[in-house]
Amino acid sequence: MSNTLLFSPVTIRGIELKNRIVVPPMHQYSAVKGFPTDWHLMNSGKFAAGGAGLVVESTKVERRGCGTVGDLGIWDDAFVEPLGRLVTFIHQQNAVAGIQLGHSGRKARATRPWEGDRPLQRTPEIEDWDAWSPVAPSAIAHSEKWPVPKALERHEVKDLVQAWGEAARRAHEAGFDVLELHGAHGYLVHQFLSERSNQRTDEYGGSEANRMRFITEIAEAVRTHWPDHKPLFVRLSVEDNAGWGPEQSTRLAKILKAKGVDVIDCSSGGITEMAPILGKEIKYSYQVPLSDYVKRHADIMTMAVGLIIHGDQAEQILQDKQADLIAVGREILNNPNWPMDAALKLGVEGPFRNVPPQFGYWLGTRAKRGFGTQPSTWQSGLNEAGDNCR
């Protein structure tokens, strides 16, 4: 299979991706006072060097929007230069650098997931504890185990819209090519969209149009600072199993497209503590139907995510026109060279051309010898092209 969609380039506005493989933000919770560390350089760098077309990092637009003590920040100009260091290395690997702008809202001030995923306890090391207070559209806790957040005043909502705009300016100054707004997983934007968490009586609550107002104003503010030639994505929980579903997401996607959004990143869940499961079990491509629905009904480019493990699986999603981009998350944590691995199994000509010569050269010369050329992830019983590897 030499002519794959997965490994074909795609141009969105003025930015070309060398392939359709995207590494979505996978929070590392390793920042120090919001600043990236060598861990972030290594983490983003290995995915870029592994052959992905787009590598996305996640940041918060204000301090109180941090989910944990380790969240990356972009609420101050001081973050521009250190974030730019990540961009430079990603570009050196011939990959596109993306950044996600988010705010945790009522899910802020929490432990890291591997520390229990619960509200953080006050300690002397956290100097700005009181300033780091969870906020939300309404004073409604995420669940019984989470504290009741402070309801945002109307002027604070307006200030947050501008905070996203200023964050977009800093992202551009740092050199990022693609920007994504995080409107999913029960974080602040999603909290405004959901009737369960938003019981406001002003123009940001009540009707569906009012609940959409926050994200649409954010998109407008961001586009003011984000250049026209650079793509803008929005991640949505297309189905949150709590009243917000594909129909609502489609209506929102149409509005956002008119505001300058190019791609909807289609995920699910997060507004409650229920797992984001569609149906009775998680299975391969379990969220892909959400991407397919939005793409068909909103006439907008989409990105699919959710247990996309194998190269032929990703290729079939693209061939079936269920998505335009493929986000490979936890599987690329397992194998940062997933793009190269997928190229080998799909029979792409020159599978080592899209990775740095520091290791692509050696793997290429080994392959020419005719032995020991199959990757360690190769499964027995596959045909020569690596098809049917699901």
Side-chain angles (χ1 to χ4, degrees), residues 21 111 147 223 275 303 352 376:
I21 301 167
T111 60
R223 264 296 169 207
M303 179 159 66
F352 306 112
S376 58

Side-chain angles (χ1 to χ4, degrees), residues 5-21:
L5 285 176
L6 186 62
F7 289 96
S8 65
V10 59
T11 299
I12 308 173
R13 291 189 182 252
I15 301 297
E16 182 179 272
L17 279 61
K18 64 184 177 184
N19 57 47
R20 311 298 179 96
I21 301 167

Side-chain angles (χ1 to χ4, degrees), residues 164-223:
W164 253 278
E166 288 299 312
R169 172 184 61 79
R170 296 182 188 108
H172 173 57
E173 290 174 359
F176 286 96
D177 310 292
V178 172
L179 190 149
E180 178 173 86
L181 309 178
H182 198 342
H185 301 163
Y187 297 123
L188 186 62
V189 170
H190 189 186
Q191 291 162 28
F192 269 88
L193 294 173
S194 171
E195 285 186 292
R196 181 170 297 209
S197 51
N198 183 351
Q199 296 183 7
R200 300 178 70 92
T201 57
D202 62 7
E203 70 267 37
Y204 293 99
S207 69
E208 181 178 281
N210 280 0
R211 286 181 281 115
M212 291 178 177
R213 191 182 307 277
F214 185 51
I215 181 60
T216 55
E217 287 187 356
I218 288 172
E220 290 173 342
V222 163
R223 264 296 169 207

Side-chain angles (χ1 to χ4, degrees), residues 9 30 154 170 183 223 256 263 270 316 344 373:
S30 300
R154 182 179 180 276
R170 296 182 188 108
R223 264 296 169 207
L256 292 174
V263 177
Q316 193 63 53
L344 282 165
T373 61

Side-chain angles (χ1 to χ4, degrees), residues 15-51:
I15 301 297
E16 182 179 272
L17 279 61
K18 64 184 177 184
N19 57 47
R20 311 298 179 96
I21 301 167
V22 179
V23 182
M26 288 175 284
H27 296 79
Q28 299 296 291
Y29 305 110
S30 300
V32 176
K33 294 185 176 181
F35 288 91
T37 65
D38 287 346
W39 180 270
H40 295 92
L41 183 65
M42 177 277 298
N43 187 63
S44 297
K46 69 184 179 185
F47 300 133

